[in-house]
Amino acid sequence: MSTARYSNSFWDSDINGSRGYDELKARIREGKKLSNEIENYFRQRAKIERDYAKDLQKLVDNCKHKNELGSLEKAWRDVKTDTARIAQTHDTAGADFDKLAQEMSSFTDEQKRQSKAAEDAVQKLHSNLKSSYSKFTSQEKTFHQKGETHDELLNSIKFMENTRNTVVPKELEKARVKESKAKDDLEKNENSYKNLHEEVTKSKAAYESEMTKMCELFQTLDEKRIDHTRDNLWKCTNLESRICVEQDEYAEKMRQNIEPCDIDGDIQLYIKYHKTGSEKPRKYRKSPVKGKSIVKYSISRITFMY
C-alpha cells in the first residue's frame, strides 16, 4: 500500500475550487501558531527562571546573621552558598530557555518565508487559470451559439433550394450571404475558442505543476516543523532534568554539611569564647537586728531583706 502524500491528497476537482490549497494553508498557519506558542512558552519560562534566580540570590543576600559559632554556623554558611549556586543554576537555565525561544523564532521565520513564496506563486497561477477558464467558457458558449446560427441558416438555404418554385431568388441570395457571413464569424470564433482552450490547457498545466511543488514543499516544511519542535521540546525536558539534578546535588551537599553538626562542640565553643566567669554572686550576711524588726531597701525593683 502506497503512502499518501500531500501532493496526491489535496486537490479540488472543480477548476475554480481551492479546497486543497486552503486546507494546506490552514495547516501551515496552525503550525505557525503552535510554534509561536511554544516560543512564547520558552520565553516566559526563561523569565520565570531568571526571576526565581534573582529572588533566591536576594534571599541569600538578606541573610546576614553572623553571631553563630561552630558547626551550625558553617552548616548555615554552606546552605547559603549552595542556595546561591542553585540560583545560578536557574539563571543559566533561563539563558538556555531564551536560546530555545530564539531557535524557534528563527526556524518559524524561515518556514514563513518559504511557505509564503510558494503560496503566492500558486495563488497567482490559479488566478490566471480561473481567468482563462472563464474566458474559455464564455467563448465556448458564443461558439456554440454561432454554430447553431450557422446551422439554422444552412437548413434555411436547403429548404429554399428544395422549394425554388415558391422562393424569390433575391431572398435565397440574401440567405446565402448571411450564411457566408455566419460561417466566417463561426470560423473566427472557432479560432478564438481553440486559442482559449490551448491557453486554459497551459494555465492548468502550470497551476498543477506549481501546486504539486507547493504540496511537496509544505509536506517537507511540516515534517521539519514536527521534527524541530519535537527536538526543542526534548531539549526542554533535558533542561528540566538538569535543573533537578543540579539542585539535588546542591541539596545533598547541604545535607552533608548539616549532618556533622556537633551540638556539644558548638556549646563548648560558645562557652570558650563568650564565658563571663564561673564565680556566682557572693552571699550577703544578715545584719544583726533587735527584736523582730525588718528593714527593707528597694533598689531597681529588687528588694533585699536583712
Side-chain angles (χ1 to χ4, degrees), residues 50 105 130 152 261:
R50 289 194 301 269
S105 178
K130 289 191 292 183
E152 289 175 359
C261 278

Side-chain angles (χ1 to χ4, degrees), residues 1 6 26 33 80 89 92 95 98-99 134 141 153 191 208 233-234 278 289 296:
M1 181 177 179
Y6 286 8
K33 287 182 180 179
K80 290 189 291 182
T89 292
T92 302
D98 264 335
K99 289 179 182 178
S134 177
K141 183 178 179 180
L153 288 172
N191 289 332
E208 289 178 353
L233 291 177
W234 193 275
S278 58
V289 295
K296 297 181 179 179

